[in-house]
Amino acid sequence: MLGLIRVQAFVMIKIMDKLSGVIDHFLYRNETNGYGVMELTTEDDDVICVGTLTGFDEGEMVEVTGEYVIHPTYGPQLKLETVRAILPTGIIGIERYLSSGIIKGVGPKMAKRIVNEFGEDTLKVIEEEPERLVKIKGISERIAQSICEQVVGKKEQQDALIFLAQYGISQTLSIKIYEAFGNLLYGIIKDNPYKIIEEVDGVGFKKADEIARKAGIRIDSEFRIQSGVVYTLSQAMNDGHTFLPKGELVERSADLLKVEVSDIEVQITNLIMDKKLIAKQENDSTNCYIPFLYHQELAVASMIRDIGSVDNLSDEKYLSRRIDKVEKELGITLDEMQRKAVLLSMQSGIMIITGGPGTGKTTTINAIIRCIEQEGLDVMLAAPTGRAAKRMTEATGYEAKTVHRMLELNGSISENGRSVYFERNSENPLEADVFIVDEMSMIDIQLFNALLKAIPAGARLILVGDVNQLPSVGPGQVLRDLISSGCCPTVILKHIFRQAEKSDIVTNAHKINRGEEIRLDTNSKDFLFLERNNIDVIYKHMVQLITEKLPDYVEASPSQIQVLTPTHLGPLGVEALNRVLQNYINPQDPKKREKEFGDCIFREGDKVMQTKNNYSLEWEITGRNNIVIDKGSGVFNGDVGTIIQIQPSEGFICVEYDERRKVRYGFDGLDELELAYAITIHKSQGSEYPAVIMPLLGGPKPLLTRNLLYTGVTRAKRCVMILGSRDTVNTMIRNESEKKRYTGLYMRIKEVMNA
């Protein structure tokens, strides 16, 4: 009772406490992010502690600092600020330490015999004179040496954590650094902290630079400049580039590093000589590539050539009769370009079908599938996202998988040490004769490279997409480069079919794509515009549309209606809109648990989005009685799901994604999630929503582009609602400029084909 009163007092006055004790046991541990709940036994009391506990084991003696809190369900807890191991003292403490299981090969009985023999000098004997342990019954020279190495190793690890803490390095990251470098880390931190970037996940240039400053590394150090250049080039990947012209690389690096341009140019030359960069003279420019991206583009070009060399030399009249038969079976009439697409799909090793909404891509795919079946061939369908795959399945009646799932992504450690890899590759190819991949505009160079590796020799590949959509989030603009290179037959579908002509969504999308003005009023059934120039009024109408007006109109729930916006920042950006929409669509409720993370509050029932590719994040699908019926790994940038559970005591949030995939996020991993009531138009690619609301009221010109508006409009199935300024919409239609991407696939294809 006294302990409880003491805890409650600390809560009220928020005093930091400092305690020493033994870790009695763990109530919960998350091995992925290090979050844990433990019971600490001190001289006075048993205290429940919560926080990052990576690298600690039951039986260890630790010193902790933290602040007492009262959990509404689990009562008083010490929320940890710091944890550090300390050597146990006294015979009882030493015996408990040795018998806890930390030291393999030493159980309670042996621990008692060792302590009875050496008393309070036990740890000193183990570290300095391990040969004396041999006199203990059951300890051989080998076991004695093992005990010594384990005790010394634990001590060395804790010394390393204390050393790294002075550089502002978190305990979780310190463990990773120690595991990567061991006792070599002292020299690395003092001489070249940038080396950590190469070996430790989660350390980028900025973190290494912060450590380097504290270690006294000079601003013009060659290590620093080289790391900054490589970091600059790798950051360019986030903007979709696979290379940067040397001049731009120098300019961006100088802005980051604040050093002389001449120093940067010298280190770029050194990086090229060390083969850490690849320089190519192309189009009157020296272009600098990260080696793995260059080699991926080159590999893709070579595989495209090889797949394209596979031709079906069947008589064209015979193939034409087969298409006639399929038209009758499906009750359709293909137009000239659709028919050409089906014919080429049976003649070519690789081909591309591209076209806007309403031009019959789905009908064409269905005709191709039926022709393939009549040839007695197996076909596999794929798309880059779960939502796109689901749409493909519904449209064709054949199962479509995400590309990652088709390639059997594996997030575990392989025999050669890779932590993320695809089971399907050149050594273990996919098993089908024809592959149809939809939404190709979304696929980046890395995923396309993995896909091509898994295509078996002699198979055919059909790529489908809308080249006028925004390019992939990841590096490259694969579909556009393939079409521009002329490396494979391409059919462009342009005819808008009669049924699609009835939709103003389809009609206006094509007008936007051609740069023509569209009618902006409320007279359409599926394309509506409200002129609103006040931010608060836009908020009000948006909430009314989602919660009251649109659900019945489009026969969908409020959570299925998606707000799309060009930008992250500003009053109509993703961050501000999500705060507003969350308050109305999923307001605070005593029955719904919450977790505050940074400036965001996550709440059970919230719609959320994964913001980066995480290949090792595990998911599972459960059936009746919560029995796991399928599991795997990999959650990707742009995946949208719902928070179905927040578990504060165990430190995780559970999100359910498409296909009922459930994913647990530790509280330390919430930086990969954001609310998704509103998302950027870029992140909406591959998705289709019953209704789309777009608030458009000014903004930076580079974001107000024609293809951005086109992409947003084509995400809607039944209704588009634009709130904002007529001038902004017309500005976007006129602005045909696109954010330039530096990609080399086009050039690699030309090189390979010419060779």
Side-chain angles (χ1 to χ4, degrees):
M1 186 66 183
L2 288 174
L4 180 60
I5 294 170
R6 170 174 170 258
V7 169
Q8 290 173 330
F10 272 106
V11 173
M12 293 174 64
I13 56 179
K14 294 185 181 277
I15 293 179
M16 293 288 291
D17 202 358
K18 184 175 184 178
L19 301 172
S20 297
V22 176
I23 300 175
D24 185 82
H25 66 282
F26 285 94
L27 296 151
Y28 169 76
R29 294 190 82 169
N30 186 317
E31 298 297 337
T32 303
N33 58 39
Y35 181 87
V37 182
M38 70 174 182
E39 184 173 301
L40 184 71
T41 299
T42 71
E43 290 183 2
D44 301 325
D45 208 347
D46 291 338
V47 181
I48 300 299
C49 303
V50 297
T52 302
L53 294 165
T54 306
F56 294 98
D57 295 299
E58 292 176 357
E60 280 194 83
M61 192 161 185
V62 293
E63 181 183 86
V64 302
T65 63
E67 183 179 277
Y68 283 102
V69 296
I70 298 290
H71 189 279
T73 305
Y74 300 99
Q77 300 176 342
L78 185 68
K79 188 176 181 182
L80 298 174
E81 283 285 323
T82 64
V83 188
R84 71 180 187 90
I86 56 177
L87 288 176
T89 57
I91 292 174
I92 295 175
I94 295 170
E95 182 180 334
R96 186 168 186 173
Y97 172 72
L98 292 177
S99 63
S100 65
I102 293 173
I103 309 301
K104 292 180 182 177
V106 178
K109 290 182 180 178
M110 185 178 287
K112 191 171 190 65
R113 289 199 296 270
I114 295 172
V115 174
N116 285 344
E117 178 68 31
F118 301 112
E120 293 191 0
D121 292 332
T122 296
L123 294 179
K124 184 178 180 183
V125 169
I126 290 174
E127 290 181 39
E128 299 176 7
E129 302 174 276
E131 65 277 2
R132 292 177 60 188
L133 293 174
V134 177
K135 67 169 65 175
I136 306 297
K137 182 183 175 182
I139 298 182
S140 63
E141 287 186 14
R142 182 182 60 81
I143 293 174
Q145 187 60 35
S146 173
I147 293 171
C148 173
E149 288 173 356
Q150 290 180 70
V151 171
V152 170
K154 275 285 181 186
K155 185 173 183 295
E156 288 178 348
Q157 183 189 59
Q158 294 307 323
D159 288 343
L161 298 190
I162 292 168
F163 170 78
L164 293 171
Q166 65 184 310
Y167 294 97
I169 303 173
S170 71
Q171 189 165 286
T172 302
L173 184 53
S174 294
I175 293 285
K176 290 182 180 179
I177 294 172
Y178 179 78
E179 288 174 349
F181 299 108
N183 287 331
L184 295 176
L185 68 87
Y186 298 98
I188 289 168
I189 293 293
K190 290 177 180 176
D191 298 331
N192 180 17
Y194 301 98
K195 189 174 179 62
I196 300 173
I197 300 171
E198 302 168 17
E199 301 292 335
V200 180
D201 288 339
V203 179
F205 175 79
K206 291 183 178 178
K207 184 63 181 178
D209 207 31
E210 179 186 321
I211 297 168
R213 281 198 302 274
K214 292 179 180 177
I217 303 294
R218 288 174 49 184
I219 193 172
D220 60 353
S221 156
E222 68 175 70
F223 299 126
R224 179 175 185 268
I225 295 174
Q226 287 190 12
S227 294
V229 169
V230 172
Y231 171 79
T232 299
L233 203 48
S234 64
Q235 286 297 104
M237 288 172 53
N238 296 336
D239 294 326
H241 306 300
T242 61
F243 72 84
L244 285 179
K246 184 179 177 182
E248 190 162 337
L249 176 59
V250 170
E251 185 179 332
R252 292 191 185 195
S253 299
D255 187 55
L256 171 73
L257 296 166
K258 311 301 181 189
V259 297
E260 296 294 328
V261 166
S262 57
D263 291 336
I264 293 172
E265 290 174 335
V266 167
Q267 295 310 325
I268 287 177
T269 300
N270 289 339
L271 285 166
I272 293 168
M273 291 175 66
D274 292 338
K275 298 184 179 179
K276 293 180 179 178
L277 291 185
I278 289 177
K280 297 284 290 184
Q281 194 67 32
E282 299 163 330
N283 299 332
D284 301 322
S285 171
T286 300
N287 297 329
C288 297
Y289 294 79
I290 293 176
F292 85 90
L293 277 179
Y294 172 82
H295 291 301
Q296 284 192 342
E297 288 187 327
L298 187 60
V300 165
S302 298
M303 289 185 283
I304 288 290
R305 176 197 59 198
D306 295 342
I307 295 172
S309 65
V310 178
D311 290 318
N312 182 347
L313 301 178
S314 298
D315 178 70
E316 193 162 316
K317 289 183 179 178
Y318 164 76
L319 295 176
S320 185
R321 286 196 298 272
R322 177 169 289 174
I323 296 172
D324 292 341
K325 183 181 177 183
V326 166
E327 283 183 311
K328 289 180 182 178
E329 290 177 353
L330 295 177
I332 59 173
T333 301
L334 300 171
D335 75 3
E336 179 186 355
M337 296 310 292
Q338 286 177 307
R339 193 176 182 88
K340 181 180 178 182
V342 178
L343 183 66
L344 285 171
S345 74
M346 295 189 289
Q347 293 177 316
S348 311
I350 181 171
M351 70 158 299
I352 296 171
I353 302 170
T354 185
T359 56
K361 293 194 295 295
T362 299
T363 301
T364 306
I365 292 172
N366 283 329
I368 290 171
I369 292 172
R370 189 61 63 91
C371 285
I372 291 168
E373 283 187 326
Q374 291 186 1
E375 287 186 71
L377 302 177
D378 293 325
V379 61
M380 290 187 80
L381 310 183
T385 67
R387 288 181 179 238
K390 185 178 179 182
R391 286 173 54 202
M392 198 178 187
T393 299
E394 292 168 350
T396 64
Y398 291 80
E399 183 188 12
K401 296 180 179 179
T402 64
V403 177
H404 291 90
R405 200 165 183 190
M406 184 175 75
L407 296 179
E408 297 175 23
L409 178 75
N410 193 324
S412 60
I413 303 295
S414 66
E415 291 180 2
N416 62 10
R418 288 183 299 171
S419 59
V420 174
Y421 63 99
F422 291 109
E423 296 280 3
R424 296 293 185 170
N425 48 46
S426 56
E427 296 175 0
N428 180 30
L430 294 162
E431 297 173 7
D433 304 297
V434 182
F435 298 87
I436 303 176
V437 183
D438 199 9
E439 295 287 357
M440 263 302 297
S441 63
M442 294 181 65
I443 292 183
D444 62 31
I445 190 67
Q446 294 167 289
L447 184 57
F448 194 53
N449 177 54
L451 172 64
L452 293 183
K453 283 181 178 178
I455 300 293
R460 284 183 261 162
L461 180 61
I462 299 164
L463 307 175
V464 185
D466 185 349
V467 75
N468 294 307
Q469 298 277 4
L470 293 166
S472 58
V473 175
Q477 45 186 5
V478 173
L479 182 62
R480 184 161 297 183
D481 281 351
L482 290 175
I483 294 173
S484 299
S485 71
C487 64
C488 52
T490 299
V491 175
I492 302 173
L493 302 178
K494 295 181 179 178
H495 175 68
I496 304 175
F497 286 86
R498 187 176 301 168
Q499 186 175 355
E501 283 181 333
K502 298 176 183 177
S503 165
D504 285 330
I505 294 175
V506 172
T507 302
N508 286 340
H510 285 277
K511 284 185 176 181
I512 290 166
N513 194 38
R514 294 192 297 266
E516 300 172 10
E517 287 195 4
I518 57 176
R519 196 175 71 182
L520 296 171
D521 53 35
T522 57
N523 296 324
S524 170
K525 290 183 178 179
D526 62 359
F527 196 103
L528 307 167
F529 172 81
L530 288 176
E531 179 89 36
R532 297 291 184 269
N533 295 298
N534 182 287
I535 300 295
D536 290 332
V537 172
I538 290 176
Y539 288 162
K540 177 184 174 183
H541 283 304
M542 199 178 299
V543 170
Q544 286 178 334
L545 286 165
I546 294 172
T547 59
E548 300 172 21
K549 307 291 185 183
L550 286 177
D552 289 340
Y553 188 69
V554 298
E555 299 177 347
S557 65
S559 64
Q560 293 176 297
I561 297 166
Q562 189 61 57
V563 175
L564 302 180
T565 180
T567 180
H568 267 280
L569 304 177
L572 293 179
V574 165
E575 294 178 12
L577 287 172
N578 273 317
R579 284 194 292 270
V580 172
L581 295 172
Q582 182 191 41
N583 286 336
Y584 286 95
I585 297 173
N586 189 33
Q588 196 170 28
D589 186 324
K591 297 178 182 178
K592 294 180 179 180
R593 284 172 286 196
E594 299 180 351
K595 171 61 182 174
E596 188 173 346
F597 185 81
D599 295 332
C600 181
I601 294 175
F602 292 110
R603 186 174 296 137
E604 288 177 338
D606 274 338
K607 188 164 144 184
V608 291
M609 173 182 281
Q610 173 78 11
T611 59
K612 62 174 75 170
N613 289 341
N614 188 329
Y615 299 97
S616 58
L617 202 55
E618 296 181 349
W619 54 263
E620 62 182 28
I621 299 172
T622 56
R624 282 187 176 184
N625 300 319
N626 219 28
I627 295 172
V628 177
I629 58 176
D630 195 8
K631 61 182 179 179
S633 60
V635 184
F636 307 103
N637 192 353
D639 284 357
V640 174
T642 303
I643 295 177
I644 59 173
Q645 183 185 21
I646 296 177
Q647 190 55 266
S649 63
E650 298 183 28
F652 73 81
I653 284 179
C654 185
V655 178
E656 183 170 304
Y657 289 101
D658 288 329
E659 302 172 314
R660 296 185 293 115
R661 294 175 300 142
K662 295 176 183 175
V663 179
R664 283 189 176 191
Y665 292 82
F667 286 168
D668 288 353
L670 297 183
D671 58 332
E672 295 188 11
L673 285 179
E674 63 181 27
L675 294 175
Y677 299 102
I679 64 175
T680 61
I681 295 172
H682 215 138
K683 290 286 182 73
S684 72
Q685 285 178 273
S687 298
E688 186 177 67
Y689 312 99
V692 161
I693 300 172
M694 285 194 286
L696 301 174
L697 187 63
K701 187 177 179 182
L703 292 176
L704 301 181
T705 63
R706 180 186 299 172
N707 69 335
L708 197 77
L709 179 61
Y710 173 80
T711 299
V713 166
T714 54
R715 298 308 89 205
K717 188 175 183 179
R718 301 189 192 112
C719 183
V720 169
M721 170 64 76
I722 298 176
L723 300 170
S725 159
R726 192 181 308 271
D727 288 343
T728 299
V729 176
N730 289 329
T731 296
M732 294 180 78
I733 293 172
R734 290 192 297 268
N735 184 10
E736 60 181 327
S737 65
E738 296 179 35
K739 196 172 182 180
K740 181 173 178 57
R741 285 197 173 196
Y742 297 113
T743 62
L745 179 59
Y746 173 90
M747 292 175 280
R748 301 291 83 76
I749 290 172
K750 290 295 185 184
E751 286 176 12
V752 167
M753 295 301 182
N754 290 337

